[in-house]
Amino acid sequence: MNTTVTPSPLSTTCCIVGGGPAGLMLGYLLALKGVNVTVLEKHADFLRDFRGDTIHPSTLEIIWQLGYLDEFLALPHQRAEKLMGEIDGKEATMADFSRLPTRCKFIAFMPQWDFLNFINEKAQQLPNFTLVQQASVKELIEENSQVKGVRFITPQGEQQIRSELVVGCDGRHSIVREKAGLEVMNFGAPRDVLWLRVSKIADDPEWTTGHRGPKKGFIMIDRGDYWQCGYSINKGSFESLQHQGLASFLISLAEISPFEVTRLQQEITDWEQVKLLSIRIDRLKEWAKPGLLCIGDAAHAMSPIGGVGVNLAIQDAVATANIITPALLKGKLTLQHLKHVQRRRRFPTWATQSLQIMISKAGQKPRRKAPSGMELWVRQRPFVPFLFGRLIGIGFFKENFKR
């Protein structure tokens, strides 16, 4: 098995920057197809809390196609066959996954580190896959206007790796897209989210669907022995909440959540237990340049609405592996192959972000009048939860892995 304490190879076919869902999945799929791959991950492990922990039906379908579904679902997780919410004070089914054309008709809630460890363990069994951890990329190696690799820092010092292709999978604050000078189109976001956890107790309700929300900006996700809670706030208002004091914040939280303030005070004793997710929606105008491609959040940062970010990142990885592998194996990769990835993934990215922006703007407008007859009629249509189940569970375009 490859380890991360030995020097990285001087060269590889594909260097992937970022060991998140997009990076590890792409690395595994490319290696499975015979491409030599090195993944550079700046952290020593995958243990980061409150990251995207939703494994959508389309991602579970990919895992099934790889032959590991039963093994994967043996890992601790919670299942949500429906997503529930509140409309005009009444509980309603927001999304129903029961009719999806997939093997798994549910969302699996699983800590992202368990998902990443699982993919990494499979990838490490392949001789042409290498993961280098504690590797922070500092700059790109460019020759004759083409990216030829990266320079990075490890505990052993500065190193470099040369490759035919560099893929940026290093998230919404991507150093790869910054160093490549790729133009970012920002669409803004009116809200941020605060994440916190509350331990479960025997008297808590049995919510078998695993998810409740939103209710006045508050959601709850059943994580087995604790509730993962999210609280939506106005963009940039976290500092103001902190100035008002933790006690005041917990009182406000108790007013919109099912938890008594005394329980919250016992659970949340420091602001360090409240994690800020600064929401941004953006995407690159061009995802690629000669020798370089960005996918996942590095190419398009998503809002947490629908929890679709991880799903889109995995779909990007599958499409990328399908499109570029033949050319990589022949040593004939061109910019046109990389642009083909963007063309294939452009519509689902645009459509998903457009829907998120529309929902965000609608949530900012206070309702001044009762719902129209047409709106009430649409709400009552039985197909609506299944439609949203399709959009959340699969998205606007479904990728299948081609061996």
Side-chain angles (χ1 to χ4, degrees):
M1 179 180 294
N2 297 307
T3 65
T4 62
V5 296
T6 57
S8 63
L10 294 175
S11 64
T12 189
T13 303
C14 181
C15 174
I16 297 172
V17 180
L24 276 185
M25 180 60 81
L26 176 60
Y28 173 61
L29 296 180
L30 288 176
L32 196 62
K33 289 172 171 279
V35 177
N36 291 321
V37 178
T38 297
V39 178
L40 304 180
E41 165 56 42
K42 67 180 180 180
H43 296 102
D45 54 43
F46 302 121
L47 293 172
R48 255 78 64 206
D49 211 350
F50 300 127
R51 299 179 74 179
D53 292 347
T54 53
I55 311 299
H56 285 61
S58 60
T59 299
L60 293 170
E61 191 80 354
I62 297 299
I63 296 174
W64 173 81
Q65 291 171 5
L66 294 171
Y68 303 126
L69 182 60
D70 290 341
E71 183 181 352
F72 181 75
L73 292 179
L75 297 173
H77 67 280
Q78 290 74 47
R79 302 184 181 192
E81 290 82 13
K82 299 178 181 179
L83 297 183
M84 309 300 293
E86 186 176 281
I87 299 177
D88 296 336
K90 297 181 180 180
E91 185 176 77
T93 300
M94 308 299 290
D96 189 325
F97 308 114
S98 64
R99 296 186 183 179
L100 292 182
T102 55
R103 271 72 183 173
C104 298
K105 304 180 189 304
F106 56 84
I107 285 179
F109 289 94
M110 178 185 295
Q112 190 174 110
W113 57 80
D114 285 343
F115 173 72
L116 296 178
N117 280 325
F118 182 88
I119 300 300
N120 181 45
E121 288 173 3
K122 297 302 180 185
Q124 291 283 4
Q125 297 173 18
L126 303 173
N128 51 338
F129 176 90
T130 299
L131 171 68
V132 182
Q133 292 175 290
Q134 294 182 280
S136 298
V137 170
K138 297 302 179 184
E139 60 183 359
L140 303 175
I141 299 172
E142 295 191 61
E143 298 175 359
N144 300 320
S145 300
Q146 177 154 343
V147 176
K148 293 290 188 178
V150 300
R151 293 185 177 90
F152 59 100
I153 304 295
T154 72
Q156 291 76 38
E158 183 173 328
Q159 301 183 49
Q160 68 174 25
I161 182 169
R162 301 180 70 84
S163 61
E164 294 183 33
L165 174 66
V166 172
V167 184
C169 301
D170 49 339
R172 59 187 59 205
H173 303 292
S174 171
I175 188 69
V176 170
R177 77 181 188 185
E178 175 189 333
K179 295 298 182 182
L182 298 175
E183 182 180 350
V184 182
M185 299 181 292
N186 292 293
F187 304 102
R191 312 289 290 176
D192 288 329
V193 173
L194 301 180
W195 289 111
L196 51 112
R197 62 168 64 194
V198 177
S199 301
K200 291 181 70 174
I201 60 177
D203 292 337
D204 283 343
E206 289 292 333
W207 286 348
T208 56
T209 56
H211 180 286
R212 282 295 187 279
K215 177 182 181 181
K216 296 182 180 178
F218 184 82
I219 66 170
M220 294 173 61
I221 302 173
D222 185 350
R223 302 312 301 269
D225 58 352
Y226 69 93
W227 300 107
Q228 179 176 329
C229 303
Y231 179 42
S232 176
I233 62 173
N234 290 327
K235 169 68 71 175
S237 64
F238 185 43
E239 186 174 345
S240 175
L241 289 175
Q242 290 178 305
H243 285 315
Q244 295 173 29
L246 184 61
S248 175
F249 170 70
L250 295 180
I251 290 173
S252 299
L253 205 60
E255 292 175 353
I256 60 171
S257 75
F259 306 120
E260 298 289 339
V261 66
T262 52
R263 179 174 173 186
L264 292 174
Q265 290 169 341
Q266 293 172 352
E267 294 276 347
I268 312 298
T269 59
D270 191 281
W271 280 112
E272 289 297 317
Q273 296 170 271
V274 182
K275 304 299 182 181
L276 171 67
L277 172 61
S278 181
I279 298 175
R280 56 190 292 182
I281 303 176
D282 66 36
R283 65 177 177 268
L284 295 178
K285 186 174 182 179
E286 298 292 340
W287 297 16
K289 61 187 294 185
L292 181 140
L293 172 69
C294 287
I295 64 171
D297 276 3
H300 46 71
M302 296 285 171
S303 160
I305 293 173
V308 297
V310 172
N311 181 55
L312 277 164
I314 296 296
Q315 297 289 297
D316 282 358
V318 174
T320 302
N322 288 340
I323 291 169
I324 70 172
T325 296
L328 269 180
L329 291 174
K330 295 175 182 177
K332 296 183 178 181
L333 186 73
T334 68
L335 180 58
Q336 293 307 311
H337 294 106
L338 305 181
K339 288 185 174 182
H340 184 187
V341 174
Q342 180 177 354
R343 288 197 304 272
R344 184 169 181 86
R345 298 299 302 157
R346 179 186 288 126
F347 174 73
T349 300
W350 170 83
T352 302
Q353 288 185 326
S354 297
L355 182 60
Q356 290 186 330
I357 292 169
M358 182 183 69
I359 293 173
S360 297
K361 289 182 177 179
Q364 288 298 104
K365 298 177 181 178
R367 183 178 286 278
R368 292 186 171 87
K369 58 182 180 180
S372 66
M374 176 61 72
E375 181 179 346
L376 290 173
W377 182 86
V378 171
R379 284 186 190 178
Q380 295 169 359
R381 298 308 93 191
F383 67 83
V384 172
F386 299 110
L387 172 62
F388 279 101
R390 171 84 187 202
L391 295 179
I392 293 173
I394 294 179
F396 288 92
F397 196 91
K398 180 173 174 285
E399 303 286 352
N400 293 296
F401 178 57
K402 300 176 183 177
R403 291 186 178 272

